[in-house]
Amino acid sequence: MRIAFMGSPDFSVPALKALHQAGHDIAAVYCQPPRPAGRGQKETPCPVHRAALELGLEVRTPTRLKRDTAQHDAFAALGLDAAVVAAYGLILPKAMLDAPKRGCLNIHASLLPRWRGAAPIHAAILAGDSESGITIMRMDEGLDTGPMLLTQATPIGPDTTVQALHDALAAIGADLILRALAEDPPAIAQPEDGVTYAPKLTKEDGRLDWNKDAAALERRVRALNPWPGTFFDHRGEQIRVLAARVEAGSGAPGTALDDAALVACGTGALRLARLQRPGRAAMDADAFLRGFALPRGTQLG
């Protein structure tokens, strides 16, 4: 089948490789343009760009699509049976959505209509959901509102991290898009109830609010590392929290309840298990505290 692939981050790479290995004719790969990265701010291609080059595929990196009719025409000229979209990063205008014979099929990392939007993997863990999954959806002009072709669920355990869930969903997405292209299942409209939204995350979403329930903060630590990262302020520094667990304890929110990084929350307490100072290596709490003590009674920001 002649297709275009449209994606940018690591999440999208397994699907691209699976489509190539399955023998689909990938006419072009669309992804975000190279951007400055690292200490030297060197122009760096995104993961899909790198994978496409390794596979010998044509790569296109437009900076905008909405009103660029030349891009619309170039896309239509590919003569596609379908386009596969996975975390691409640009909104596709109607002219492009309508160009492939079977439309544009999106690999969405949630069980729609729950968690439409930009950060569904993080949102599922933050909310304490017991499962997530992949939905293959035929795209329309709405925000993840198109009809569904296939779904597959996967459990979220009490220790599931965002990276583990990301990797599981990426693998499911690669398998499910192959099925969708091969089977051409009927499209089913999304239910009108149960709609939730997962907005784009910002750095400030990682700030730990000690007034919240300890279980909610523990989920936030699992959901937001490595990016945007969870943190608190102390001694003029932003201290990252990379792992934590809920324990019994009570006190004024944000107060250290012992000398081993047990912090009182709105309900319960959070044991900080792995921490990192700016510009330093991440450490388990016992090693961290030898150089940056948080004695009982310390108030954390």
Side-chain angles (χ1 to χ4, degrees):
M1 186 175 296
R2 186 169 174 81
I3 65 172
F5 186 85
M6 313 180 87
S8 296
D10 287 321
F11 174 81
S12 316
V13 172
L16 173 61
K17 290 183 176 179
L19 290 162
H20 183 266
Q21 186 174 2
H24 288 284
D25 176 13
I26 303 175
V29 173
Y30 284 73
C31 58
Q32 291 287 302
R35 291 194 168 92
R39 292 185 177 180
Q41 291 294 286
K42 181 181 178 181
E43 290 285 314
T44 304
C46 68
V48 165
H49 192 153
R50 297 195 297 271
L53 292 179
E54 290 173 2
L55 296 173
L57 300 173
E58 178 188 340
V59 177
R60 299 181 178 183
T61 58
T63 56
R64 60 189 179 93
L65 292 174
K66 188 174 181 180
R67 295 183 177 85
D68 193 334
T69 56
Q71 288 290 346
H72 305 173
D73 293 343
F75 186 72
L78 292 172
L80 302 173
D81 295 304
V84 173
V85 184
Y88 175 33
L90 290 180
I91 295 174
L92 302 186
K94 189 174 188 304
M96 296 180 72
L97 292 173
D98 294 343
K101 296 173 186 175
R102 288 174 53 180
C104 296
L105 308 186
N106 180 241
I107 304 171
H108 186 76
S110 80
L111 299 173
L112 291 170
R114 188 162 178 79
W115 304 129
R116 294 173 179 172
I121 302 176
H122 307 78
I125 295 178
L126 284 170
D129 291 356
S130 61
E131 66 175 5
S132 182
I134 289 290
T135 302
I136 305 297
M137 171 194 68
R138 181 172 291 125
M139 298 174 69
D140 59 18
E141 292 183 88
L143 177 62
D144 300 326
T145 55
M148 303 180 295
L149 303 179
L150 292 171
T151 64
Q152 184 174 325
T154 191
I156 300 176
D159 300 318
T160 300
T161 63
V162 73
Q163 189 64 54
L165 183 57
H166 167 283
D167 293 350
L169 292 175
I172 292 170
D175 290 339
L176 219 56
I177 192 61
L178 294 181
R179 279 187 53 200
L181 292 175
E183 299 172 11
D184 195 16
I188 301 172
Q190 293 186 34
E192 295 183 2
D193 57 344
V195 175
T196 55
Y197 291 93
K200 185 176 180 179
L201 295 168
T202 68
K203 172 67 176 176
E204 194 60 23
D205 288 314
R207 182 178 296 278
L208 295 173
D209 180 354
W210 303 114
N211 293 295
K212 294 186 180 297
D213 181 89
L217 293 181
E218 187 274 337
R219 292 196 301 270
R220 186 162 293 269
V221 172
R222 285 189 285 120
L224 301 187
N225 281 301
W227 191 91
T230 46
F231 63 91
F232 63 87
D233 294 326
H234 190 58
R235 298 186 201 167
E237 297 184 17
Q238 280 193 352
I239 308 301
R240 291 192 64 180
V241 179
L242 301 164
R245 61 183 181 270
V246 177
E247 293 189 8
S250 62
T255 303
L257 299 178
D258 61 14
D259 296 337
L262 181 66
V263 184
C265 303
T267 303
L270 196 67
R271 177 75 67 184
L272 310 183
R274 190 165 178 80
L275 302 106
Q276 183 177 19
R277 294 175 66 184
R280 308 286 185 90
M283 298 180 181
D284 290 340
D286 55 352
F288 180 91
L289 294 170
R290 285 197 288 270
F292 197 87
L294 300 173
R296 181 194 300 268
T298 300
Q299 185 67 38
L300 307 182

